[in-house]
Amino acid sequence: SDLNQYLPEDINKDLYNAKFVGTTLGRYNLNRLRLAYELDTAFPNDTYITFQPNKQFLNETLKHFSSHYEKELEWLQTKQFDVDLTSKHHMGMIDWYDACRNYGNVWNKFQIEVVSETDSIDNFWFTEKTANCLATGKPFVLVSGKGSLQRLRDLGFQTFDTILDEAYDHAKHPYQRIQHLTAALQELYNSPSKDSDITELYHLANQNIDLYRNYCVR
């Protein structure tokens, strides 16, 4: 469906103070916890990360698996997340239309968005999380089912394999995708052509705006 009816009409696209990557994580799942941890570890002081679930809930949920997630839980205790919306639900759920209406709160906070889709296992169920990027010209990497980027290309949308290594799209397990896409982002982050490459990412992403509009009126 066309999300433009919910997105703010005027989005501040001044990226002067933007962090390198950002992700807005609502309802809890384990892959999202790992994603937040991996990004914050890879790009210290250059991330914008919202993570809505409350820490007490996470500690209770993972207490029997603490040996497996020791690093993540230790990091969680002191991490101060960014805030765009406030969820009153222990799992951090935010209604999709509220997420769209408030997307302007975060658009210019980061240069590249890391989209964590609702289903990161084996589904091509794209939601407002991906559509927000397509509709507004935001470059993104995608934590979704295997082959999701190819599915977007099949629909006519631009992805970013001329700049970013998108081989992560073929990884079988979500955590493998997270690790591989983080490595691809690190390669860009450390590249001598980083600034011009990010400019090219926005050139590609801007093409998706009209593609998205045309797709919605078919």
Side-chain angles (χ1 to χ4, degrees):
S1 63
D2 185 0
L3 297 186
N4 285 309
Q5 60 185 309
Y6 299 104
L7 288 167
E9 292 184 7
D10 297 314
I11 293 178
N12 180 0
K13 295 190 174 183
D14 180 359
L15 296 168
Y16 181 76
N17 291 315
K19 302 293 187 179
F20 177 62
V21 294
T23 188
T24 56
L25 305 172
R27 180 176 57 85
Y28 166 76
N29 65 46
L30 183 56
N31 289 321
R32 289 177 175 172
L33 174 62
R34 283 183 146 171
L35 174 62
Y37 171 77
E38 293 289 338
L39 292 177
D40 202 49
T41 301
F43 309 104
N45 303 314
D46 215 354
T47 60
Y48 183 93
I49 301 174
T50 72
F51 194 56
Q52 298 284 0
N54 68 62
K55 294 181 180 181
Q56 181 179 353
F57 165 73
L58 294 177
N59 285 327
E60 184 66 23
T61 300
L62 295 174
K63 67 181 181 181
H64 298 299
F65 307 96
S66 58
S67 60
H68 296 285
Y69 306 108
E70 182 178 358
K71 293 185 296 183
E72 290 89 343
L73 289 171
E74 182 179 352
W75 163 81
L76 186 66
Q77 299 314 306
T78 57
K79 173 63 181 175
Q80 296 296 312
F81 292 104
D82 297 291
V83 178
D84 63 328
L85 297 174
T86 301
S87 172
K88 296 181 180 179
H89 194 280
H90 64 280
M91 289 186 68
M93 291 185 287
I94 298 288
D95 289 329
W96 67 268
Y97 41 84
D98 285 334
C100 292
R101 288 172 180 145
N102 289 278
Y103 190 54
N105 293 352
V106 300
W107 197 98
N108 70 334
K109 303 294 186 182
F110 43 82
Q111 296 172 315
I112 301 170
E113 183 158 357
V114 183
V115 177
S116 180
E117 264 296 359
T118 299
D119 187 340
S120 61
I121 305 298
D122 59 359
N123 200 318
F124 298 131
W125 177 25
F126 298 117
T127 69
E128 86 288 344
K129 301 171 186 63
T130 302
N132 282 342
C133 294
L134 300 175
T136 62
K138 172 63 73 174
F140 62 92
V141 294
L142 182 60
V143 182
S144 188
K146 180 183 176 183
S148 292
L149 291 178
Q150 183 60 54
R151 177 60 174 160
L152 285 175
R153 289 192 291 269
D154 291 344
L155 292 170
F157 293 108
Q158 293 281 349
T159 64
F160 309 98
D161 58 347
T162 57
I163 303 296
L164 290 165
D165 181 0
E166 292 186 338
Y168 70 85
D169 194 40
H170 306 297
K172 292 183 179 180
H173 190 278
Y175 188 42
Q176 292 175 326
R177 287 196 284 280
I178 290 169
Q179 290 179 309
H180 292 170
L181 71 82
T182 301
L185 289 168
Q186 285 178 307
E187 185 175 354
L188 171 59
Y189 193 72
N190 295 316
S191 170
S193 59
K194 173 185 172 184
D195 290 343
S196 61
D197 286 343
I198 290 175
T199 298
E200 177 61 18
L201 288 177
Y202 274 88
H203 172 72
L204 293 169
N206 280 328
Q207 296 176 44
N208 284 329
I209 297 175
D210 287 337
L211 289 166
Y212 179 79
R213 290 172 180 167
N214 290 338
Y215 187 80
C216 289
V217 297
R218 287 177 185 176

